[in-house]
Amino acid sequence: MAFSDISKEKVPADARSVSDESDSTNEEGWEDVEPEDDSQPVVDLFSEIVYPDVRSMLQVCKDKHNFDLLKIQKELELDFLDSIKLVNYVRSQVKAGNKSPDVSSKAQFEDDAYLKPVLEDDALLYSLDDIAEEQDEDKAPGNDSDRRVVELQEELERLQTQFSEYRIAVQQSLEDQLTQEDEKLQPEAPEKKSTDKTEEVDADYFSSYSYNTIHESMLKDTIRTDAYRDFVYENKHLFKDKVVLDVGCGTGILSMFCAKAGAKKVISVDNSNIIDRAKEIVYDNGLGDVITCIRGKIEEVTLPVEKVDIIISEWMGYGLLFEAMFDSVIYARDRYLASDGLMVPSHATLRVAPFADPDFIASHISFWHNVYGFKMNSMLLNIYEEALVRTVQPTTIPGDSNIFLPLPLHTITVEELNFIKEFKFTLNEDIDALDGFAIWFDIFFMPSRQSPVPEDPIPSEMQKKGIVSFTTGPHGTETHWMQTILLIDHGKEQPKPLKKGQTFTGKVGYQRKQNGYRGLDITVDWNGGRMLQVTNNGHFSK
């Protein structure tokens, strides 16, 4: 996920922006700086603002961001190299978009990679011992000049030694990284290489859920969040005095719904750093006696109970199954759910429909033929091999959708998630060309595992019957999942006009790239041709 750049902040009187650093004509706010002051300008830890000295910068960090560097050094008993790691860790986190880095323990920044400066010639790194020394001086009575000279000489010798150690540590860290890169180039057994790649993808996946943006997007998706809330609150009798497991709890919103509905115990599991925020949120809302937050993969953690009555999870990815989180939910179901337990949600359906939108093709494909008068046809390479995540209008769907996979969550297996299923649809209007296919899913919350859903359930009709459900299709309110669009390569086969009433049959397949991998290959065969859509090693293009 992309993060926006660090936003510019309003510059206070005693600070200036990096872009204004060379503007010698701007003297405002510098009236108190003495010419003989040898203090060195330093860049703020949480913005691009440059302060005239370290003390003023750290004071702003303390007042504005509740970040007290000296206090953290003292509480965590940080030595010189630890302090350098801390500064570089904070700068790297802020650069990545996280303005509230976790500094609760030394373990957060113990990696030697943080010895490498984030900023070139970072004045703060050269001032770490100075500020500690100045703090001690402020507290000490009197000031003997001869003693101070001796202390400064000793300090200089100590700094020289420490910076020598620092350079050696940085060099060793770089050498270790180069060694690791060299090892990656060496031939490896296919099984080990596959495992390493899977672990790398897993790490990236869980890391992506550590940041606020993705959770903000999900929480603001009212179609999604309201459905979970409505089902839980409208069925409090199902949750009263029950033990609930929340798989992939994120911020803990679903867990708190369950706790408020009367659950006796809620176990919230997540393998990303967001679990730390979830713990704070739970206690801030007075629910710490009901909700227990656990960090780790559901396949690896040990729960404080043998069985649970309900499993709740928002596991759905793009195209429903991208991310492969549902595998973990199935594991939790088979391992922990009581024989009469309830899955929330309980059912899902995958739908496919024809897609025809000449304007979309013009903007996404034809655009590259003439970009400001230049041909950029090379940009079309593999463009048809990406599954596009877009919101499309109902007018671009010239036929009824067809369910190609129903998912009863209480019984479906992981093996069934690799499949090839048949579909059939009929055009309900004339079109100039069939441009591709649209895929989306519907979600249903049934109050018991014995409650069946119709063969072709429509969320709007189910809601009329009091069943909580929602669709991610183009005929419903937009969700953050949008629709998955698979385009036909008209360059290989010229499009043909099609008539209302014309019927298409075919097969759609979801295939995992390899065991444990989170990517998908989606294939569509139909009686008008063949199309292969590859998600670019697990990437859905947005």
Side-chain angles (χ1 to χ4, degrees):
M1 63 193 309
F3 294 87
S4 59
D5 295 334
I6 298 175
S7 59
K8 300 281 186 178
E9 300 184 46
K10 186 176 180 181
V11 182
D14 64 343
R16 56 193 175 121
S17 70
V18 174
S19 59
D20 294 335
E21 189 173 358
S22 61
D23 187 358
S24 60
T25 64
N26 185 6
E27 299 294 335
E28 183 179 356
W30 292 82
E31 296 86 351
D32 297 331
V33 178
E34 298 294 335
E36 66 271 14
D37 188 356
D38 60 353
S39 60
Q40 190 172 4
V42 60
V43 179
D44 185 23
L45 276 171
F46 295 90
S47 71
E48 295 181 352
I49 295 173
V50 176
Y51 290 86
D53 56 67
V54 172
R55 278 194 168 192
S56 58
M57 186 276 286
L58 291 180
Q59 188 62 44
V60 171
C61 289
K62 182 178 178 181
D63 296 341
K64 187 173 181 180
H65 300 282
N66 196 29
F67 181 88
D68 190 335
L69 179 61
L70 295 175
K71 182 179 178 182
I72 294 171
Q73 285 179 313
K74 182 178 179 180
E75 290 180 348
L76 299 184
E77 299 180 346
L78 303 184
D79 59 19
F80 180 70
L81 292 182
D82 290 333
S83 299
I84 288 176
K85 291 180 182 180
L86 170 63
V87 170
N88 290 323
Y89 162 74
V90 172
R91 290 202 186 280
S92 64
Q93 288 288 302
V94 172
K95 185 176 180 181
N98 178 17
K99 287 201 172 184
S100 299
D102 184 0
V103 292
S104 59
S105 73
K106 193 188 301 185
Q108 299 294 334
F109 47 88
E110 63 183 358
D111 195 324
D112 285 345
Y114 292 122
L115 288 172
K116 183 178 180 182
V118 175
L119 292 183
E120 186 176 356
D121 297 327
D122 189 348
L124 179 56
L125 297 180
Y126 297 93
S127 307
L128 291 173
D129 274 296
D130 290 342
I131 57 179
E133 182 69 24
E134 289 173 7
Q135 185 186 44
D136 293 339
E137 285 182 14
D138 290 341
K139 297 178 180 178
N143 184 23
D144 185 273
S145 58
D146 293 337
R147 177 179 56 82
R148 181 59 179 153
V149 170
V150 173
E151 289 177 350
L152 287 174
Q153 290 175 338
E154 294 175 348
E155 177 69 9
L156 178 60
E157 293 176 358
R158 188 169 63 85
L159 285 174
Q160 289 174 335
T161 301
Q162 288 180 331
F163 272 103
S164 176
E165 294 174 351
Y166 173 46
R167 286 194 297 269
I168 294 173
V170 171
Q171 182 63 33
Q172 184 61 48
S173 177
L174 291 175
E175 290 176 358
D176 290 344
Q177 293 178 33
L178 289 174
T179 301
Q180 292 173 5
E181 291 298 321
D182 290 340
E183 290 175 351
K184 290 180 182 178
L185 297 176
Q186 299 299 320
E188 295 181 351
E191 182 178 352
K192 183 178 186 303
K193 188 174 183 180
S194 174
T195 301
D196 290 345
K197 184 63 176 176
T198 300
E199 291 174 353
E200 179 184 339
V201 172
D202 248 12
D204 290 342
Y205 168 70
F206 289 113
S207 176
S208 71
Y209 280 88
S210 299
Y211 299 100
N212 285 8
T213 306
I214 191 169
H215 295 283
E216 179 182 355
S217 173
M218 292 187 292
L219 290 171
K220 287 182 175 178
D221 185 342
T222 56
I223 298 299
R224 159 202 181 267
T225 310
D226 285 1
Y228 280 89
R229 180 203 60 189
D230 292 348
F231 178 77
V232 174
Y233 286 177
E234 293 172 10
N235 293 275
K236 290 184 178 180
H237 63 285
L238 298 177
F239 292 85
K240 180 67 173 175
D241 297 328
K242 297 296 175 61
V243 178
V244 181
L245 172 61
D246 182 356
V247 181
C249 66
T251 57
I253 185 68
L254 304 187
S255 297
M256 291 189 291
F257 287 158
C258 297
K260 285 290 188 180
K264 177 174 63 177
K265 186 176 188 63
V266 182
I267 304 165
S268 309
V269 180
D270 203 295
N271 194 38
S272 76
N273 289 336
I274 196 66
I275 195 71
D276 296 326
R277 304 285 76 78
K279 291 177 181 178
E280 295 176 15
I281 292 169
V282 165
Y283 281 96
D284 286 345
N285 287 276
L287 298 172
D289 57 336
V290 178
I291 301 174
T292 300
C293 296
I294 299 177
R295 169 71 182 269
K297 296 181 180 179
I298 189 64
E299 297 88 346
E300 299 174 358
V301 300
T302 300
L303 300 190
V305 296
E306 183 64 26
K307 293 292 180 181
V308 299
D309 303 300
I310 297 172
I311 291 179
I312 191 169
S313 178
E314 196 276 82
W315 51 268
M316 298 80 80
Y318 296 126
L320 186 63
L321 298 180
F322 176 64
E323 295 182 3
M325 181 181 167
F326 189 40
D327 293 23
S328 297
V329 176
I330 291 177
Y331 173 88
R333 179 199 69 192
D334 296 343
R335 169 65 180 83
Y336 293 109
L337 188 63
S339 58
D340 59 346
L342 180 66
M343 297 290 291
V344 180
S346 59
H347 297 77
T349 56
L350 266 167
R351 291 180 177 268
V352 63
F355 174 74
D357 187 355
D359 292 336
F360 181 85
I361 299 301
S363 66
H364 186 69
I365 304 295
S366 305
F367 164 78
W368 297 107
H369 297 320
N370 185 343
V371 182
Y372 289 90
F374 299 99
K375 293 181 179 180
M376 293 191 178
N377 290 349
S378 64
M379 296 300 295
L380 295 172
L381 181 66
N382 300 329
I383 198 169
Y384 294 99
E385 297 180 3
E386 287 187 349
L388 306 176
V389 178
R390 299 287 191 276
T391 295
V392 301
Q393 296 302 313
T395 53
T396 65
I397 308 297
D400 293 333
S401 64
N402 183 243
I403 294 177
F404 62 89
L405 182 70
L407 292 87
L409 270 59
H410 289 98
T411 57
I412 195 165
T413 65
V414 170
E415 290 72 24
E416 292 177 272
L417 304 183
N418 281 302
F419 59 83
I420 297 177
K421 298 291 184 179
E422 295 182 349
F423 67 84
K424 179 181 180 180
F425 57 76
T426 301
L427 295 180
N428 52 28
E429 61 182 81
D430 295 345
I431 56 176
D432 294 331
L434 180 64
D435 295 318
F437 299 89
I439 290 177
W440 66 86
F441 60 89
D442 302 331
I443 296 295
F444 303 90
F445 299 77
M446 304 302 289
S448 98
R449 60 188 302 145
Q450 287 78 34
S451 303
V453 296
E455 186 173 336
D456 189 3
I458 300 174
S460 58
E461 296 299 321
M462 298 286 283
Q463 289 173 348
K464 292 178 182 178
K465 299 177 181 180
I467 301 299
V468 178
S469 61
F470 66 85
T471 181
T472 63
H475 297 88
T477 304
E478 180 181 345
T479 70
H480 75 280
W481 290 288
M482 297 179 271
Q483 293 87 50
T484 300
I485 306 300
L486 313 176
L487 295 180
I488 298 172
D489 186 355
H490 289 314
K492 297 179 180 178
E493 182 178 350
Q494 289 301 311
K496 301 175 183 178
L498 301 172
K499 295 294 184 181
K500 177 181 179 180
Q502 190 165 347
T503 298
F504 284 83
T505 59
K507 296 179 180 180
V508 58
Y510 272 43
Q511 299 295 324
R512 202 74 55 82
K513 286 180 176 292
Q514 65 187 50
N515 187 35
Y517 197 63
R518 297 189 180 276
L520 284 175
D521 282 348
I522 304 177
T523 60
V524 178
D525 287 282
W526 76 104
N527 60 351
R530 174 177 171 79
M531 172 183 60
L532 172 64
Q533 292 294 332
V534 182
T535 65
N536 196 20
N537 290 329
H539 174 66
F540 274 58
S541 176
K542 293 185 68 177

